Amino acid sequence: MQLLRSLCRVPAPAGNEGTLARFVLDYARREQARWQHRPQIIADDRFQDCVLLVFGRPRTAVFAHLDSIGFTVRYGRQLVRIGGPQAEAGCRLVGNDSQGEVDCTLTIDDQTGEPGYAFHRDIDRGTELTFYCDFRETATTVQSCYLDNRLGVWNALRLCETLEHGVVAFSCWEEHGGGSVAYLAKFIHETYGVRQALISDITWVSEGVRAGQGCAISLRDSLIPRRAYVDRVRAIAAASGIAHQLEVEGGGGSDAAELQRAAAPWDWCFVGAPEAHVHTPDELVDKRDIASMLALYQALMREL
Amino acid sequence: MQLLRSLCRVPAPAGNEGTLARFVLDYARREQARWQHRPQIIADDRFQDCVLLVFGRPRTAVFAHLDSIGFTVRYGRQLVRIGGPQAEAGCRLVGNDSQGEVDCTLTIDDQTGEPGYAFHRDIDRGTELTFYCDFRETATTVQSCYLDNRLGVWNALRLCETLEHGVVAFSCWEEHGGGSVAYLAKFIHETYGVRQALISDITWVSEGVRAGQGCAISLRDSLIPRRAYVDRVRAIAAASGIAHQLEVEGGGGSDAAELQRAAAPWDWCFVGAPEAHVHTPDELVDKRDIASMLALYQALMREL
Amino acid sequence: MQLLRSLCRVPAPAGNEGTLARFVLDYARREQARWQHRPQIIADDRFQDCVLLVFGRPRTAVFAHLDSIGFTVRYGRQLVRIGGPQAEAGCRLVGNDSQGEVDCTLTIDDQTGEPGYAFHRDIDRGTELTFYCDFRETATTVQSCYLDNRLGVWNALRLCETLEHGVVAFSCWEEHGGGSVAYLAKFIHETYGVRQALISDITWVSEGVRAGQGCAISLRDSLIPRRAYVDRVRAIAAASGIAHQLEVEGGGGSDAAELQRAAAPWDWCFVGAPEAHVHTPDELVDKRDIASMLALYQALMREL
């Protein structure tokens, strides 16, 4: 879990993913010698802060978003949300501005419910703050801020160790309306003819999806993927013998929203471990579900 | 109305339109010999469960969505909505799962307003349920679930009997956020240079649009089409002498939303009969408005 | 301010921007002889009612929306909003229908809050109404309806006087969900390789952005631009010595929404003067902020 710990500690609020993109890029460049197959590594101005790893003759693309939720410093001691953080007053927020490091405390206005900060000085307007990372590991669980989606990124990087054919795409802005998958999908579709996707992201523990019972295959969330494709994913998962659970939700979204809207016929399916304490500094995932997620991706990328 | 009755009975909840797409495809292949002009029939992996019929040298494309509203089975006896069904508790829902046919009853939670089902057994997670089709015809009306949009599909298919130049596109996912018109529009625009569209869909009876007074030409709904194009549609309708009504709404949407967002300069206009009891099992349309709709499409596709 | 006054007086509710597009086109054709560099002027069926001016070898595109908020006449004496007008009952609305000029009064329903009109006769269904333009100028301010975004258009046209390299794009539908920037951006990106944008639009005076203290550079609104690009904009602004303010908001949007969703890696930044009395007939802007806006655009288009 050393890689996961490192990933959780790199700040990457939506819109400012450059540092984590470089981390992933450095990791891929360094580790690829140990991977069974070497990818083409694509990361240049055409892709902003995204990274693409292309293995063999791809049929399916994996999307894992780099960005996280957080806050932007507004005026006075006000904060504006990046995505949908669920933190409580008193939680520790960190960042950097022109005067140096920031380590402050979240406040919540009694009247308005609006977030703010307590700190010994004003923080520069526009500074992004993220949760302080307290990474906790037990024999059976990992707990940290930003397992959503550093665990999806971790899963994608671990998948690279054995991947023969496929695209692994690291995207930006997922937590705040999207903005990179549209062009990533266009490039992948037009360059490689790929139109099958898996969304390597984290979902939530619910009355129907329990911690420890395997990675979730989402049959739908706020959007509905094409049944014919999801049925293929389910059939492969069932035949694999790998523990998994079927999820059905009416809300929530992912990078799939941009695939669904794309001007290309993308089939997609969200496949990801469930977590408790979603969008807090204490996101909690069962290690069995992490193992199941990686195993499922290995099977799916072989057989789809 | 035999064709309409058949169309209403084929289940096609958003995301699972394959069966209805095959029905339309079979119909087109069988009936085209009797049409005045033979279309090119396009339906392959590039278009998921959509179907395109291309006649002559097209200037205008007609979009008719195949999909319907419905419900997805969640956990316990819970349902999640597909699109915006307006059904009351006690209404009959049908589907299929691994144990066979499902014929159950809609329930509504008193506290939460959330939908559920009553049935003698649990239904598989992720199963789609649709309204039971009770098709009713009188001398002056038709009534059934899913006239929205099987009547739009019917109109498009009947239009094919006489169409010389034009594209007829059968789309998916319209009731649940869209997802196919973006790529259909891209293909149609790039292949044929077409950027004029008519939306063959059903609207609602209101204080300004009455049953029996002709097909509605929508001047706007939640989106606003380009005035210059709508004025051309209105002028052709006025010159045709065909009964029609002008609609102005602030809400509601259609496949046009994806044309409006498209990276091509689509002009579009929604032209469709009004119905009462929208999104219930009892959608009701006046036959005069159906006749007006088809006649208007014939005139518009000739003259636009 | 004669040009600004003229721009404010031309009606261009979203969806019906043709008259203002022709005004801008005529202006550009007439004035270009006096500009330091002559643009290529692009305005044809591929761009609906949009206008493009392309100078030299462009690296950055400026987007200024032509359209305004307003109302559409519905049934009876009802109105439906175009965009988000904030007007009070009694305000004067003007338009044209088949019976001639319309000069009526806005009403607001006590019960529903819905807008309507008072006039001596019924107005044709679908007629667009806009605020009556009462343009007021003092030594230090301008005040009128539709400074949002005629001032953004004015800024773009004045920028043309000295612009050497760049695209100036006049867009449609911004106030009502967008619909032109997707294809403008695609054309600009594919034709010129440009993927840097500035949004020439008007923002609002707030507790952090004061009238008279310079044009606002928005660090975020409902969307978050890429930090790396915004930092470059800020650095150029800081080095220029031109008065400006940094804005941070959680709401509001602009033409940038379509760039963010585009299937190309657009970097964008909203740079615009703040106004008081947003979306009313009395929008008010400080002349110092107008001067600052134009000067900033001149610097940014040189150096980005």
Side-chain angles (χ1 to χ4, degrees):
Chain A
M1 297 283 103
Q2 187 52 46
L3 172 59
L4 181 60
R5 182 192 296 259
S6 299
L7 287 167
C8 287
R9 286 187 170 164
V10 180
N16 197 358
E17 299 91 345
T19 309
L20 185 56
R22 281 186 294 279
F23 179 97
V24 165
L25 197 54
D26 290 345
Y27 179 88
R29 285 182 176 141
R30 191 174 64 241
E31 296 295 321
Q32 59 174 328
R34 305 193 306 142
W35 295 349
Q36 290 183 11
H37 307 272
R38 285 211 173 193
Q40 183 187 2
I41 299 176
I42 304 176
D44 58 51
D45 280 359
R46 292 172 301 166
F47 302 98
Q48 296 179 323
D49 295 318
C50 301
V51 176
L52 287 169
L53 306 177
V54 183
F55 292 81
R57 296 178 302 283
R59 301 177 307 275
T60 305
V62 173
F63 290 87
H65 72 85
L66 296 171
D67 62 297
S68 79
I69 54 175
F71 299 90
T72 315
V73 174
R74 195 174 179 251
Y75 316 133
R77 297 280 165 116
Q78 302 171 336
L79 297 177
V80 180
R81 290 178 183 83
I82 299 170
Q86 295 296 319
E88 291 179 7
C91 114
R92 193 171 160 192
L93 302 177
V94 294
N96 271 283
D97 73 358
S98 65
Q99 296 179 67
E101 293 208 355
V102 171
D103 191 332
C104 65
T105 303
L106 178 68
T107 62
I108 304 284
D109 188 289
D110 283 346
Q111 310 281 304
T112 65
E114 289 302 304
Y117 67 86
F119 196 43
H120 65 82
R121 63 168 174 86
D122 281 352
I123 307 173
D124 288 352
R125 222 171 255 204
T127 302
E128 294 104 345
L129 300 177
T130 53
F131 294 138
Y132 169 79
C133 178
D134 175 19
F135 191 91
R136 289 147 281 176
E137 185 177 356
T138 71
T140 58
T141 63
V142 291
Q143 186 164 26
S144 173
C145 59
Y146 303 138
L147 293 179
D148 170 7
N149 186 36
R150 303 307 154 77
L151 195 47
V153 171
W154 178 92
N155 177 66
L157 287 172
R158 294 293 315 275
L159 174 67
C160 289
E161 296 175 8
T162 57
L163 189 60
E164 185 171 3
H165 303 292
V167 177
V168 176
F170 298 96
S171 66
C172 296
W173 278 298
E174 191 269 352
E175 296 287 3
H176 202 88
S180 67
V181 171
Y183 66 76
L184 292 173
K186 180 175 196 281
F187 175 80
I188 292 167
H189 180 252
E190 295 186 352
T191 310
Y192 307 106
V194 168
R195 53 183 181 239
Q196 298 184 141
L198 296 173
I199 309 300
S200 179
D201 199 348
I202 302 305
T203 184
W204 55 78
V205 170
S206 68
E207 59 209 289
V209 173
R210 310 297 172 94
Q213 304 199 354
C215 177
I217 296 174
S218 171
L219 307 185
R220 62 166 288 181
D221 48 30
S222 64
L223 292 179
I224 302 174
R226 192 159 72 117
R227 176 85 194 201
Y229 180 69
V230 172
D231 282 350
R232 288 176 56 213
V233 170
R234 290 174 63 173
I236 293 168
S240 74
I242 300 160
H244 65 277
Q245 308 178 72
L246 300 178
E247 181 182 71
V248 178
E249 290 289 348
S254 72
D255 273 340
E258 290 187 78
L259 297 178
Q260 182 71 6
R261 286 196 296 258
W266 281 92
D267 280 326
W268 55 268
C269 188
F270 182 111
V271 179
E275 69 176 21
H277 313 308
V278 175
H279 282 194
T280 73
D282 304 305
E283 297 178 348
L284 178 72
V285 179
D286 190 294
K287 285 183 173 178
R288 290 168 293 184
D289 300 334
I290 299 175
S292 154
M293 184 174 177
L294 180 54
L296 262 183
Y297 270 83
Q298 290 168 339
L300 290 168
M301 292 301 285
R302 251 192 328 264
E303 301 184 35
L304 272 171
Chain B
M1 298 281 101
Q2 186 53 46
L3 172 59
L4 180 59
R5 181 191 296 259
S6 300
L7 288 166
C8 287
R9 287 187 169 163
V10 180
N16 197 357
E17 298 91 344
T19 310
L20 185 57
R22 282 187 292 280
F23 180 97
V24 165
L25 198 53
D26 290 346
Y27 179 88
R29 284 183 176 141
R30 193 173 63 241
E31 296 294 321
Q32 61 174 325
R34 304 195 305 144
W35 294 348
Q36 291 184 11
H37 306 273
R38 285 213 173 192
Q40 184 187 3
I41 300 176
I42 304 176
D44 58 51
D45 280 359
R46 293 172 300 166
F47 302 98
Q48 295 179 321
D49 295 318
C50 301
V51 177
L52 287 169
L53 307 176
V54 183
F55 292 81
R57 297 178 303 281
R59 302 178 305 274
T60 305
V62 173
F63 290 87
H65 72 86
L66 296 171
D67 63 296
S68 80
I69 53 175
F71 300 91
T72 315
V73 175
R74 197 174 177 250
Y75 316 133
R77 298 282 163 113
Q78 301 171 337
L79 298 177
V80 180
R81 291 179 183 83
I82 299 170
Q86 295 296 321
E88 291 179 9
C91 115
R92 196 172 159 190
L93 302 177
V94 294
N96 271 280
D97 74 358
S98 64
Q99 297 179 66
E101 293 207 354
V102 171
D103 191 333
C104 65
T105 302
L106 178 67
T107 62
I108 304 285
D109 189 289
D110 282 345
Q111 309 281 304
T112 64
E114 288 303 303
Y117 66 88
F119 196 44
H120 64 81
R121 64 168 174 86
D122 281 353
I123 307 172
D124 288 352
R125 221 170 257 203
T127 302
E128 295 103 346
L129 300 177
T130 53
F131 294 138
Y132 169 80
C133 178
D134 176 19
F135 192 92
R136 288 147 281 175
E137 185 178 355
T138 70
T140 58
T141 63
V142 291
Q143 186 165 27
S144 173
C145 60
Y146 302 139
L147 293 180
D148 169 6
N149 187 34
R150 302 309 153 78
L151 196 47
V153 171
W154 179 92
N155 177 66
L157 287 171
R158 294 294 313 277
L159 173 69
C160 289
E161 297 175 6
T162 55
L163 188 60
E164 186 170 2
H165 302 292
V167 176
V168 176
F170 298 97
S171 66
C172 295
W173 279 297
E174 190 270 350
E175 295 287 5
H176 201 88
S180 68
V181 169
Y183 65 76
L184 292 173
K186 180 175 196 279
F187 175 81
I188 292 167
H189 180 252
E190 294 186 352
T191 310
Y192 307 106
V194 169
R195 53 183 181 237
Q196 299 185 140
L198 296 172
I199 308 299
S200 178
D201 200 346
I202 302 304
T203 184
W204 55 78
V205 170
S206 69
E207 59 208 291
V209 173
R210 311 296 172 94
Q213 303 198 355
C215 177
I217 296 173
S218 171
L219 307 184
R220 62 166 288 183
D221 49 30
S222 63
L223 292 178
I224 301 175
R226 192 161 70 116
R227 177 85 194 199
Y229 180 69
V230 173
D231 282 350
R232 288 177 56 215
V233 169
R234 289 175 63 172
I236 294 168
S240 73
I242 300 160
H244 64 278
Q245 307 177 70
L246 301 178
E247 181 182 71
V248 179
E249 291 288 348
S254 72
D255 273 340
E258 290 187 77
L259 297 178
Q260 183 71 9
R261 287 196 295 260
W266 282 92
D267 280 325
W268 54 269
C269 187
F270 182 111
V271 179
E275 69 176 20
H277 313 308
V278 174
H279 282 196
T280 74
D282 304 305
E283 296 178 351
L284 179 71
V285 180
D286 191 294
K287 285 183 172 178
R288 290 169 293 185
D289 299 333
I290 299 176
S292 153
M293 183 174 179
L294 180 55
L296 262 184
Y297 271 83
Q298 290 168 339
L300 290 168
M301 292 301 285
R302 252 192 329 265
E303 300 183 35
L304 274 171
Chain C
M1 298 281 103
Q2 186 53 44
L3 171 60
L4 180 59
R5 181 192 295 259
S6 301
L7 287 167
C8 288
R9 287 188 169 163
V10 180
N16 197 357
E17 299 90 345
T19 309
L20 185 57
R22 281 186 294 278
F23 179 97
V24 166
L25 197 54
D26 290 346
Y27 179 89
R29 284 182 175 141
R30 192 174 61 242
E31 297 294 320
Q32 61 175 323
R34 305 194 304 143
W35 295 349
Q36 290 184 11
H37 307 273
R38 286 212 172 195
Q40 183 188 3
I41 300 177
I42 304 176
D44 57 52
D45 280 358
R46 293 174 299 167
F47 302 97
Q48 296 180 320
D49 295 318
C50 300
V51 177
L52 288 169
L53 307 177
V54 183
F55 292 81
R57 296 179 304 280
R59 302 177 307 274
T60 305
V62 173
F63 290 87
H65 73 85
L66 297 171
D67 63 295
S68 79
I69 53 174
F71 299 90
T72 316
V73 175
R74 195 174 179 249
Y75 316 132
R77 298 281 163 113
Q78 301 171 338
L79 297 177
V80 180
R81 290 177 184 84
I82 299 171
Q86 295 297 321
E88 292 179 8
C91 114
R92 193 171 160 191
L93 302 177
V94 295
N96 271 282
D97 73 358
S98 64
Q99 297 178 66
E101 293 207 354
V102 172
D103 192 332
C104 65
T105 302
L106 178 67
T107 62
I108 304 284
D109 188 289
D110 283 344
Q111 309 282 305
T112 64
E114 288 304 304
Y117 66 87
F119 196 43
H120 65 80
R121 63 169 174 87
D122 281 353
I123 307 172
D124 288 352
R125 221 171 257 203
T127 303
E128 294 103 346
L129 300 177
T130 52
F131 294 137
Y132 169 80
C133 178
D134 176 20
F135 192 92
R136 290 147 280 176
E137 185 178 355
T138 71
T140 57
T141 62
V142 289
Q143 185 164 26
S144 172
C145 60
Y146 303 138
L147 292 180
D148 168 7
N149 185 35
R150 303 308 154 75
L151 195 48
V153 171
W154 177 93
N155 177 65
L157 287 172
R158 294 292 316 275
L159 174 68
C160 289
E161 297 175 7
T162 56
L163 188 60
E164 185 170 5
H165 303 293
V167 177
V168 176
F170 297 97
S171 66
C172 296
W173 279 298
E174 191 269 351
E175 295 286 4
H176 202 89
S180 68
V181 170
Y183 64 77
L184 291 173
K186 180 175 195 281
F187 175 81
I188 292 166
H189 180 252
E190 294 186 353
T191 309
Y192 307 106
V194 169
R195 53 183 181 239
Q196 297 184 140
L198 296 173
I199 309 298
S200 178
D201 200 348
I202 301 305
T203 185
W204 55 78
V205 170
S206 68
E207 60 210 288
V209 173
R210 311 295 171 96
Q213 303 198 354
C215 177
I217 296 174
S218 171
L219 306 185
R220 62 165 290 183
D221 49 31
S222 64
L223 292 179
I224 302 174
R226 191 158 72 116
R227 177 85 193 200
Y229 180 67
V230 173
D231 282 350
R232 288 177 55 213
V233 169
R234 290 173 63 173
I236 294 167
S240 74
I242 300 160
H244 64 277
Q245 307 178 71
L246 301 178
E247 180 182 70
V248 179
E249 291 289 347
S254 73
D255 273 339
E258 290 187 78
L259 297 177
Q260 182 72 5
R261 285 197 296 261
W266 282 91
D267 280 326
W268 54 269
C269 187
F270 182 111
V271 178
E275 68 176 20
H277 314 308
V278 174
H279 282 196
T280 73
D282 304 305
E283 296 178 350
L284 179 72
V285 180
D286 190 293
K287 284 182 172 178
R288 289 169 293 183
D289 299 333
I290 299 175
S292 153
M293 183 174 178
L294 179 54
L296 262 184
Y297 270 83
Q298 290 168 339
L300 290 168
M301 292 301 285
R302 251 192 330 263
E303 300 183 36
L304 274 172

